[in-house]
Amino acid sequence: MNVLLVYAHPESTSLNGSLRDFTVQRLQAAGHTVQVSDLYAMKWKPVLDADDAPQRDPSQPFHASLDSKRAYADGTQAADIAREQDKLLWADALILQFPMWWFSMPAILKGWFDRVYAYGFAYGVGEHSDSRWGERYGEGKMKGKRAMLLVTTGGWESHYSPRGINGPMDDLLFPIQHGILYYPGFEVVPPFVVYRTSRMDEARYAETTAELGLRLDELWSARPIGFRQQNGGEYEIPALTLKDDIAPDLEGFSAHIR
Amino acid sequence: MNVLLVYAHPESTSLNGSLRDFTVQRLQAAGHTVQVSDLYAMKWKPVLDADDAPQRDPSQPFHASLDSKRAYADGTQAADIAREQDKLLWADALILQFPMWWFSMPAILKGWFDRVYAYGFAYGVGEHSDSRWGERYGEGKMKGKRAMLLVTTGGWESHYSPRGINGPMDDLLFPIQHGILYYPGFEVVPPFVVYRTSRMDEARYAETTAELGLRLDELWSARPIGFRQQNGGEYEIPALTLKDDIAPDLEGFSAHIR
């Protein structure tokens, strides 16, 4: 299988650098082909702007989504965007590795999605009708592919527990796992999270990589998070609210998981 | 009062540009002093990296938080970071204005926090003991200041409702309002959200600015979101989970709001 690892950490000689190398080696040893997009090393441009649609009419106002749509459709996008889209199309699985900064991904990775996820590629795909609202949330160009997050944080696991002060890790990751990965069709397997990174020693590192290794071995067999398909009959269209008889007592992120 | 408006949109002749101008004028007309950090116009560098601590020892590995700590303490941070910190210290209120991209802020704004929120400035502040876990979540350098989000999105309001497919807007914004703004001490007033931006016409724009104007008038009198103070006696320390008798039936983001 083909795996794209998108890696967003500024220092190679770090815990994240070691976990990246471990991940690549483990997947290769199992016979998979791995490409790494090391965003810091690539000096990835994170800011979506008019330069991303170099053929646009500069006398007109820049429109982030419509200019993205035209550039994607015409094949005139910035070359670095097109290259990353090709990697996504090539991949059978995507792994996003990043340190959690301010309860989300580092800016350089956010800007990878802002730019690579073009209109017509990751959103604005498919027709809208009485029974379908585009191809998204379980459909789309990434359908049939899998994705997994590999996240590190300095905080304690209890701080991210169901009643922990930061909010539950699953809820903090919902906008990424559901809103960014499931949206264009990825099946998302549970994240691998390393807490309290400042307290890593050799014994704990050995334990961590042993667990991570198993998770990588199970990348294609693990049960994905059971997000509900938008066009699967459980949502009203076009309101896109859950039908009254679906999880009738639930509200919020958890209502969208079977 | 002093208001800092941090604005993250690539095109001035846009709905966001108009709402920015409206906001500045409304606040000025009420006698407030406004500074705008227009991140696209400033060509803000969004990527936190070793260049942000220019006096560090380049033979040593870059450590995002420890190098940030040293550079902040020594007064050797990159000049653009120090300038934005000064604006935050000057401000009585902070308004963050951005289009929601992939259920979060654009990369350029995320990178403003990644860089400006230095160790010792926005986190790693205060002592840890049996009764306190640093000055955060209701304490910190931003205590006494207010913050508000001004967010636009192409999606429909129902898509962001309690049972809407994107997840409730309040929950999507929790990592920003609680994890980024309340964390160093801001009191956060409810966000102003404009939905379905592609369907804006003159009548709706007039309505929108009328509502926004009232919200700006009430910036100092509105009731903030009732986030619980970390060191206020409701959390176990150091686990930072809610004590058993606090909102005993709740889990998740909502448990942290009184």
Side-chain angles (χ1 to χ4, degrees), chain B residues 15-178:
Chain B
L15 172 62
N16 265 284
S18 300
L19 293 175
R20 175 200 56 196
D21 295 345
F22 173 85
T23 297
V24 171
Q25 287 158 17
R26 181 76 165 220
L27 291 167
Q28 288 176 337
H32 305 302
T33 306
V34 183
Q35 286 194 73
V36 178
S37 285
D38 180 338
L39 301 186
Y40 271 89
M42 293 157 67
K43 300 190 188 303
W44 175 257
K45 169 185 182 280
V47 177
L48 169 61
D49 60 23
D51 293 342
D52 294 334
Q55 308 294 320
R56 60 182 294 280
D57 176 354
S59 72
Q60 295 299 309
F62 173 62
H63 191 292
S65 59
L66 296 182
D67 278 304
S68 161
K69 180 182 187 178
R70 277 184 220 112
Y72 176 73
D74 299 349
T76 58
Q77 302 174 105
D80 59 344
I81 294 178
R83 263 196 303 274
E84 297 303 303
Q85 289 169 348
D86 287 344
K87 291 182 193 171
L88 280 171
L89 294 173
W90 164 87
D92 300 299
L94 169 68
I95 297 176
L96 297 181
Q97 184 184 348
F98 60 92
M100 185 171 259
W101 286 355
W102 297 108
F103 305 106
S104 184
M105 48 178 81
I108 201 168
L109 180 54
K110 180 55 169 51
W112 191 82
F113 286 107
D114 288 348
R115 297 183 63 231
V116 174
Y117 264 31
Y119 190 124
F121 180 78
Y123 69 107
V125 175
E127 296 302 312
H128 289 59
S129 70
D130 288 350
S131 61
R132 304 181 49 75
W133 189 259
E135 292 173 12
R136 54 177 217 167
Y137 289 124
E139 298 176 290
K141 292 213 194 306
M142 300 301 127
K143 193 168 168 67
K145 302 175 188 292
R146 295 195 149 208
M148 185 176 98
L149 302 185
L150 201 175
V151 180
T152 60
T153 174
W156 299 23
E157 187 163 3
S158 64
H159 303 177
Y160 292 94
S161 67
R163 286 169 56 82
I165 193 163
N166 294 339
M169 183 57 82
D170 284 348
D171 290 345
L172 292 168
L173 298 181
F174 182 89
I176 302 172
Q177 298 192 134
H178 180 263

Side-chain angles (χ1 to χ4, degrees), chain A residues 78-101:
Chain A
D80 59 344
I81 294 178
R83 265 197 302 275
E84 299 302 302
Q85 290 170 347
D86 286 344
K87 291 182 192 171
L88 279 172
L89 295 172
W90 164 87
D92 299 300
L94 169 68
I95 297 175
L96 297 181
Q97 184 184 346
F98 60 92
M100 186 170 258
W101 287 354

Side-chain angles (χ1 to χ4, degrees), chain B residues 157 169 176 183 203 212 229 232 257:
Chain B
E157 187 163 3
M169 183 57 82
I176 302 172
Y183 189 102
L212 174 58
Q229 284 207 17
I257 302 174

